[in-house]
Amino acid sequence: MHRPVQRVGRAPRLTRILVSAAAVPVMLVAAGCSSDSGSGGDAKKGTGASPDAKASASASANAVQPAAYKTLPEPCSVVSKKTLGELVPKGAKSGKEGKSDDVATRGNCYWSSLDNNGVKGSQFRWLNVALLRFESNSRGEGDQLAQTYYEKQVTGARSATDAKNIKSEPVSGTGDQATAVSYDLKKKEGAFKQQTIVARVENVVVTLDYNGAGLAGEKTPNAADLLKAAQKAAKEAVAAVSAANHGGGGGAKTSASPSKSPSSKPASPSKSASPSASASKSASPSKSATKKS
């Protein structure tokens, strides 16, 4: 292979030219990097979030989610007439709504039934359904607040004063969660069988109290039958709450005033939901089964 003649004498000068030429791009690159770095820094500073933007983003991240349910159905409409005929046969049409200062947040309805068989005694039944809805606020999201109240209600039912043979079990197919608490209560008028079902659906808690007794010598009702009937009524009440918030009817009420704090207590059965005067006052769970707070 033919090799070109190398001109040694001119190499130093050529080398100096190449080195000088190579130095120019290096200087330009270095200058460019310096310029980019400065520009990038300025851009970064320019696009950085302002304190107000950061505060807004932080507030959005910490904001609670709105509650799912915005209203409640009419309390006296949450259990069907057919079911009421089974639970309170002599008082299916006697439903009385408790007083509420905000019907979109809380309400209750109660029924009482006294089947008087003369000298053979009487069968007494009492049913109360209470509804309490929670809004999302600074204390937490509505469903979380409802969850806390749900647990408190279950604990209260399990610790009822003078209750005997207390039993507790979960109830399926009734809202997001539900628990049934059963117990016996002995009074001078007779032996009462109490059934309490507490259910939560989204941000609403439904508490259903149902009891029965055989008075004046009549036999005591079967607790299993009462529980089965109470569970049926509780499922209907929960379904009515869902329907009222999904455009499915349910006799929803709305309130003109803003909802008050969920910490307010719902209408108390001990005042607004006592049995009718025709029945023994002690038959009311508000007196015969007072719950500890």
Side-chain angles (χ1 to χ4, degrees):
M1 176 180 290
H2 175 73
R3 293 184 179 183
V5 177
Q6 295 182 352
R7 297 181 180 180
V8 178
R10 299 182 61 183
R13 183 166 178 265
L14 179 60
T15 301
R16 287 197 301 270
I17 294 173
L18 293 176
V19 170
S20 299
V24 174
V26 171
M27 294 175 62
L28 292 176
V29 170
C33 290
S34 176
S35 176
D36 290 344
S37 175
S39 175
D42 292 340
K44 186 175 182 180
K45 291 180 181 179
T47 58
S50 65
D52 291 342
K54 289 181 179 180
S56 177
S58 177
S60 299
N62 295 328
V64 296
Q65 293 296 320
Y69 288 171
K70 300 300 182 183
T71 190
L72 293 175
E74 294 182 1
C76 292
S77 71
V78 298
V79 180
S80 68
K81 293 181 179 179
K82 178 181 178 181
T83 300
L84 287 173
E86 298 171 0
L87 273 69
V88 283
K90 295 296 182 177
K93 298 180 180 180
S94 67
K96 296 181 179 179
E97 185 173 343
K99 294 181 179 180
S100 173
D101 56 358
D102 187 351
V103 294
T105 300
R106 62 183 65 82
N108 81 291
C109 188
Y110 64 94
W111 300 259
S112 62
S113 174
L114 184 66
D115 186 4
N116 194 334
N117 296 314
V119 295
K120 295 183 179 180
S122 303
Q123 283 291 336
F124 175 75
R125 300 289 186 273
W126 185 83
L127 171 68
N128 182 76
V129 180
L131 312 172
L132 186 59
R133 185 180 65 84
F134 291 82
E135 281 285 8
S136 295
N137 54 33
S138 59
R139 294 166 54 220
E141 296 183 2
D143 59 344
Q144 296 174 345
L145 297 174
Q147 168 73 25
T148 300
Y149 182 74
Y150 163 84
E151 294 172 354
K152 182 178 179 181
Q153 287 291 86
V154 172
T155 299
R158 289 171 176 164
S159 57
T161 303
D162 297 328
K164 304 294 183 182
N165 303 319
I166 301 175
K167 298 179 181 179
S168 178
E169 62 182 81
V171 179
S172 62
T174 306
D176 296 307
Q177 57 189 146
T179 300
V181 180
S182 306
Y183 55 83
D184 300 335
L185 198 63
K186 186 70 175 179
K187 301 292 290 184
K188 63 180 180 180
E189 293 84 2
F192 289 80
K193 299 289 185 179
Q194 172 72 27
Q195 315 297 323
T196 297
I197 297 179
V198 185
R200 181 185 70 82
V201 54
E202 294 289 354
N203 55 306
V204 176
V205 176
V206 177
T207 304
L208 183 145
D209 287 297
Y210 181 52
N211 70 23
L215 306 178
E218 181 65 282
K219 67 178 182 178
T220 302
N222 183 278
D225 292 340
L226 295 181
L227 177 59
K228 183 177 180 180
Q231 290 176 338
K232 179 179 180 181
K235 288 182 179 180
E236 291 184 1
V238 168
V241 172
S242 297
N245 286 275
H246 292 153
K253 284 188 174 184
T254 57
S255 174
S257 61
S259 298
K260 295 188 177 181
S261 171
S263 60
S264 300
K265 294 181 180 179
S268 172
S270 61
K271 294 182 179 180
S272 60
S274 58
S276 62
S278 60
S280 171
K281 293 183 179 180
S282 62
S284 168
S286 60
K287 295 184 178 181
S288 62
T290 305
K291 298 173 183 177
K292 298 179 181 178
S293 59

